[in-house]
Amino acid sequence: MSCFSFLKTIMFVFNAIIFLGGITVLGIGIWVKVDGGSFLKIIGSASPQLMQVVNVGYLCMAVGGFLILMGFLGCCGAIKESRCMLMLFFSIILIIFIAEIAGAVVVLAFSSLSQIFIDYIGTVAVKYLREDYGSDNELTTVWNTTMKEFKCCGFYGYKDFSNSTYYRNHQEYPPVCCSSVSPCQPNNISSEVKGCFKAFEHFLSQNGKIVGGVALGICGLELAAMIVALVLFCQIGNR
């Protein structure tokens, strides 16, 4: 087998996996939105904690659609030897790669700018917690799942819910902030329950090497995909 044929095979297999994965994720997203009841029964019987993810159907559909597009471009570009498809595939991966590098540079080199961004995110998060938590089902589900998994309360802390719509309607803080204690009042909230931002920072500090390894692995795969696509593009042009 020639080097060119080997690269075509690798490109096809790799993107076929991405394509099939995209179809699976898209199918799950459509299933969640169309028949959420049966999805809840199956997921709930397997893991009750995962019942809160039913409202991420649109995210699954978006991710699945993107994976299908990338897999299609990679597979067809390699098999049909289409330079246009290969270049489009290369360009999309390159844009994602540059965005990831730019984000890393901003976080590492411009801490003041990243702090401004974090402050902005915090302001928006607290605003939605106070105005929409408890009334917006999807937002409430996402926050409940996050607070359960990270054992946290609010963005900065439980006081984010003070004077909130939820507190005015129920005269207590979200039950997830107090575990099994009811009603959930400040004296029932453990001092160990921090804001989700602090909990996420702690998670990153404890699992930084794993997160960094996964990030480097993804960047490595993206770089390899770009190199293979570019090599195929050049060799097809020289044939």
Side-chain angles (χ1 to χ4, degrees), residues 44-207:
S45 61
S47 177
Q49 294 82 1
L50 292 179
M51 290 183 67
Q52 300 294 335
V53 304
V54 68
N55 289 304
V56 298
Y58 290 123
L59 177 61
C60 287
M61 287 189 282
V63 172
F66 178 76
L67 292 177
I68 289 174
L69 173 63
M70 296 305 298
F72 174 78
L73 290 174
C75 286
C76 289
I79 296 302
K80 294 183 174 297
E81 299 185 7
S82 170
R83 301 185 79 206
C84 179
M85 287 186 175
L86 288 172
M87 183 51 64
L88 186 56
F89 175 86
F90 173 85
S91 300
I92 295 175
I93 297 294
L94 179 61
I95 291 172
I96 296 173
F97 186 78
I98 291 174
E100 291 170 348
I101 297 299
V105 169
V106 168
V107 171
L108 295 175
F110 302 100
S111 57
S112 59
L113 182 60
S114 61
Q115 186 59 49
I116 292 173
F117 178 72
I118 291 171
D119 291 341
Y120 173 76
I121 293 296
T123 301
V124 173
V126 172
K127 176 179 179 294
Y128 280 112
L129 281 175
R130 290 182 174 170
E131 295 179 0
D132 299 324
Y133 181 88
S135 57
D136 186 315
N137 291 332
E138 294 199 3
L139 181 141
T140 304
T141 296
V142 170
W143 269 104
N144 282 341
T145 302
T146 301
M147 291 190 289
K148 283 181 180 179
E149 293 299 322
F150 286 97
K151 295 179 174 60
C152 57
C153 183
F155 187 83
Y156 294 113
Y158 74 89
K159 291 183 179 179
D160 291 344
F161 291 100
S162 299
N163 299 318
S164 66
T165 301
Y166 181 87
Y167 187 83
R168 289 195 299 270
N169 291 338
H170 298 84
Q171 293 302 306
E172 66 172 333
Y173 292 87
V176 67
C177 297
C178 296
S179 299
S180 58
V181 181
S182 182
C184 186
Q185 298 296 340
N187 58 315
N188 294 328
I189 300 176
S190 171
S191 59
E192 296 181 358
V193 177
K194 307 296 183 182
C196 291
F197 176 66
K198 288 293 183 184
F200 186 66
E201 280 189 327
H202 179 72
F203 172 81
L204 289 180
S205 66
Q206 295 293 317
N207 301 276

Side-chain angles (χ1 to χ4, degrees), residues 9-69:
T9 303
I10 292 295
M11 187 75 168
F12 175 80
V13 171
F14 178 73
N15 285 282
I17 294 173
I18 293 177
F19 184 81
L20 293 175
I23 291 177
T24 302
V25 174
L26 178 63
I28 291 174
I30 294 174
W31 178 24
V32 169
K33 300 310 296 183
V34 174
D35 191 15
S38 61
F39 178 80
L40 275 176
K41 290 179 182 178
I42 294 174
I43 294 298
S45 61
S47 177
Q49 294 82 1
L50 292 179
M51 290 183 67
Q52 300 294 335
V53 304
V54 68
N55 289 304
V56 298
Y58 290 123
L59 177 61
C60 287
M61 287 189 282
V63 172
F66 178 76
L67 292 177
I68 289 174
L69 173 63

